[in-house]
Amino acid sequence: DDYIQYSNFYFTTPTISLLKDDVHAYTNSLLFLYLNKFYGTKTGFITKMHLANYEEKQQFDENLNNTSRSFGKDWVELLNEFHTASYFTNSRADTGIFLSDAPKFSKWNYPVDQSNGSRATKTVNPYSMERFYIPSQDTGCDNLLITLQGNVHTSETGAKDWAASIILTTDSGPSIHPVTFNARGKGQFERSNFRNFKDAIVVATNGHPSSKRSLTFAYQFCP
């Protein structure tokens, strides 16, 4: 278990880009352990990537997308699954969602300051994530609408630009809800009876392999 102390670098800096030459090697190991556990069927994700490149040499990022699509998802969606699942460590550990060593890892924090009101824009690193927070609301109307708008780019492979998930927490535990994005980089999520939840954490992933891009988050009640 010695790798755990080194891979905890990810939990102190969860917005770091993955799969880059300058990233801490043990940070990438978390991602590949996740792929091996949840996409490690008889011909698993990593094996498929190696075989695909052996049969016809291709760019790494293109191979990522092609392999992901063989599992029915774009790479950014799968990467967002990892980012979201990595929330479930330490006191929040769930080995059915994340790795079997989840209780031994540290846990990443998320911003809870709402001084900018219900709207914020953040820069998201390539192959990385950002987090937004919505506190519980004691209002007369509790239908919640979350809107995300990200920069888009033209991709020759048609790969999606963004993926995001909402973690809704209750006293009985959290639940994960994916966000659907359109071709213009806009994603929305709506939930009625938000008063039944303690809070919401938005985990958004940038699917571009090399560009930092901005993402604007907003929410409102009774839209």
Side-chain angles (χ1 to χ4, degrees):
D1 294 343
D2 189 50
Y3 84 104
I4 291 174
Q5 64 176 310
Y6 301 108
S7 57
N8 277 330
F9 174 79
Y10 167 76
F11 297 99
T12 59
T13 318
T15 57
I16 192 171
S17 296
L18 295 173
L19 303 179
K20 301 300 170 189
D21 291 339
D22 58 349
V23 75
H24 199 294
Y26 286 94
T27 298
N28 282 331
S29 75
L30 291 172
L31 174 59
F32 283 105
L33 286 170
Y34 179 85
L35 291 173
N36 189 58
K37 179 175 180 178
F38 294 98
Y39 294 89
T41 55
K42 186 175 181 180
T43 305
F45 190 98
I46 297 168
T47 303
K48 280 192 174 186
M49 278 199 70
H50 281 294
L51 290 175
N53 197 59
Y54 174 76
E55 293 168 359
E56 183 179 354
K57 189 172 179 61
Q58 55 190 293
Q59 293 296 317
F60 179 74
D61 300 301
E62 178 187 4
N63 196 356
L64 274 177
N65 268 304
N66 290 338
T67 304
S68 298
R69 286 173 177 171
S70 72
F71 289 90
K73 300 173 183 179
D74 275 49
W75 169 243
V76 67
E77 294 172 319
L78 200 154
L79 183 58
N80 180 254
E81 284 186 12
F82 166 80
H83 283 145
T84 306
S86 67
Y87 169 86
F88 295 89
T89 61
N90 207 267
S91 61
R92 306 188 295 241
D94 187 330
T95 56
I97 297 176
F98 200 49
L99 304 177
S100 57
D101 283 328
K104 302 177 183 178
F105 295 123
S106 300
K107 58 184 178 182
W108 50 255
N109 296 316
Y110 46 89
V112 297
D113 179 21
Q114 292 297 311
S115 60
N116 291 326
S118 61
R119 185 181 182 89
T121 299
K122 294 185 179 182
T123 299
V124 190
N125 291 318
Y127 284 176
S128 184
M129 67 141 162
E130 257 302 349
R131 303 134 301 158
F132 302 90
Y133 176 74
I134 302 171
S136 58
Q137 299 287 326
D138 201 8
T139 62
C141 182
D142 63 347
N143 292 328
L144 170 68
L145 176 66
I146 298 172
T147 302
L148 299 167
Q149 179 64 61
N151 296 127
V152 297
H153 71 287
T154 302
S155 170
E156 295 180 359
T157 64
K160 292 182 180 178
D161 291 276
W162 296 94
S165 298
I166 313 294
I167 302 173
L168 296 176
T169 66
T170 65
D171 289 333
S172 59
S175 56
I176 300 173
H177 307 267
V179 176
T180 300
F181 282 84
N182 62 24
R184 297 183 298 277
K186 183 177 182 180
Q188 287 190 323
F189 174 83
E190 192 166 2
R191 174 62 60 184
S192 60
N193 301 317
F194 185 61
R195 192 184 295 110
N196 295 333
F197 300 93
K198 295 173 64 177
D199 51 26
I201 303 154
V202 182
V203 182
T205 300
N206 176 7
H208 197 284
S210 58
S211 295
K212 294 182 179 181
R213 297 187 296 167
S214 64
L215 181 71
T216 298
F217 152 83
Y219 72 90
Q220 57 182 310
F221 292 96
C222 295

